[in-house]
Amino acid sequence: MADVAARAGVSRALVSIVFRGRAGASQETRERVLRVADEIGYRPDSAARLLARGRSRTLGVMFTVHQAFHTDLIEGIYPEAERLGYDVLLSAAAQGRSEAKAVEALLSHRCEALILLGPDAEAAYLDELGQRAVTVSVGRREPRARVDFVHSAEAKGARQAMDHLVELGHRRIVHLDGGRGPGSAERRRAYRAAMRRHGLESEVRVIPGAHTEQSGIDTGLLLLAERDRGLPLPTAVLAGNDRSAMGLLMSLTRAGVDVPRDLSVVGYDDSHLSHLMPIGLTTVRQDALLMAEHAVRFAVERLENPELEPREAVLDPKLVVRGTSGPPPHIAATGGPSPDA
């Protein structure tokens, strides 16, 4: 600012008035100061000004690399934060970089609030974060931690997917589990409950997995190996998320399995990748934009009113039927159920 003042022939105080948009400088002086600032490449450091006042007005977002749904959430977080006058700082958890490291980096950059996308942290750690900074967990609910939660009604979404498959005529429905991934426990319970409700308890099968493409590929290879030993393929798979569903599709289609004629696949999330495939993925949509907006608003409202108690937003999911689900082979071939179906 001193450099701008010297070159423009005015006082540093007047430069400060111009940059803050306050009254006290003529239009001619204002234009000259801004022109000089532009010529020498000076930009006001808004972060420094805020920190001088004890505020950063920055929301720290922890996400996981390669999780397509996290990308969709981030796209919704930016405009809502900007609308409310906040900046966003991202920090990624990745192979070799833990969630804790990603979070500590955000806190070290003086982020006022944390928005954690699909955290895998223990309840005690989440609760500790909630005491250090305003914290919102998106996609994962952990009632023992005093933080805000934003998630979809996982059981309702899995139930919609299961009802869809059963109505198509499927009985041998397998669930590719999401392991410790956000929402996995609820989706797993909902799968088992739906199978019982439809009288298919004897057909229940949960294959351990994770929210990764490799998990889906491995499951596909497992099912193909079983088929080669004379065991029947399931007629449908409810995958833990879209990534594992896509991995499953890759391994099955490479082996000549026709989806959905031979086997139907349903994912979960409706990430942007789910409709970029040659055959669109039937999946359960979580409204990423609405979840992002809730997360940002929860964080900002708690920052503006520290007395607010932690809150929870539960959003309705919606089944999106595309090309990877259809009737099981015996119905597709005959146009109706087999006598023993």
Side-chain angles (χ1 to χ4, degrees), residues 210-225:
H211 285 173
T212 64
E213 290 86 358
Q214 189 60 51
S215 174
I217 292 170
D218 292 344
T219 297
L221 295 176
L222 170 67
L223 296 176
L224 292 167

Side-chain angles (χ1 to χ4, degrees), residues 75-86 292-294 296-297 300:
E75 285 186 345
I77 286 172
Y78 271 109
E80 185 66 8
E82 184 177 347
R83 185 182 73 82
L84 296 174
Y86 282 76
E293 290 175 350
H294 270 83
V296 172
R297 284 203 295 270
V300 170

